[in-house]
Amino acid sequence: MSVVTTLASLTRDDSWDLPLFVHILGAMILVGGLTLSAVALIAAWRSGSAALTKLGFMSLFYGALPGYVVMRAGAQWVAHKEGWEDSDVSWIGIGFGVSDMGFLLLLISLVIGGIAVRRINRGEGGTPSVSARIATGLVSLFLIACFVAVWAMTTKPV
């Protein structure tokens, strides 16, 4: 065991290791899905590829959305276990604020993306539409907000 591991085990209770693991796992899946989606949608915007547009929206649906649910459930589990549900700590407020705002951005992106993919599947447009470009901006905004939340969770500003 390293010195850091030993010190960490002495300073905190290990009863919330599983909820914290669930929270971090969900956050990693969420950020991975958002990153894949943003990269695919930006590439589709530049190249006009319908396949990349579909990849961007499917990564939102099959990666980012389930990751969000797991991340949020883990966050609520940790907050409940530690008694932080009604806390005024700034990093918790930042995390929950990004989470709530991000869910709204994710839902709007999924609806807009579903419309764009449906149009592509019907043959109404092979290139990314205006709705796909709007969703690209929303996904990118949520991804940036996630990095702000990661900063707040790791540095714990006052």
Side-chain angles (χ1 to χ4, degrees):
M1 260 204 219
S2 72
V3 174
V4 175
T5 306
T6 306
L7 287 175
S9 66
L10 292 175
T11 59
R12 70 173 175 86
D13 184 20
D14 63 350
S15 67
W16 49 276
D17 282 349
L18 180 62
L20 184 61
F21 175 76
V22 168
H23 172 62
I24 293 172
L25 178 67
M28 290 172 58
I29 293 169
L30 170 66
V31 169
L34 289 173
T35 302
L36 175 60
S37 178
V39 168
L41 290 172
I42 290 169
W45 189 343
R46 297 183 63 133
S47 68
S49 171
L52 285 173
T53 303
K54 288 181 183 181
L55 173 64
F57 293 118
M58 292 301 113
S59 66
L60 278 180
F61 187 72
Y62 291 114
L65 185 61
Y68 176 86
V69 170
V70 172
M71 180 272 306
R72 189 70 164 104
Q76 200 63 44
W77 191 6
V78 170
H80 175 73
K81 197 132 183 92
E82 288 298 305
W84 291 335
E85 291 172 319
D86 296 325
S87 178
D88 287 338
V89 181
S90 64
W91 58 274
I92 292 175
I94 292 170
F96 281 128
V98 167
S99 173
D100 295 343
M101 183 261 322
F103 184 65
L104 182 63
L105 293 176
L106 184 60
L107 283 181
I108 293 169
S109 298
L110 283 168
V111 169
I112 291 173
I115 292 168
V117 168
R118 188 172 182 193
R119 286 183 180 164
I120 291 170
N121 288 340
R122 286 185 174 175
E124 296 175 12
T127 62
S129 62
V130 173
S131 60
R133 292 178 181 190
I134 292 170
T136 303
L138 295 176
V139 167
S140 300
L141 180 63
F142 187 21
L143 187 58
I144 292 167
C146 284
F147 289 126
V148 170
V150 167
W151 169 81
M153 297 291 136
T154 54
T155 62
K156 302 203 181 352
V158 178

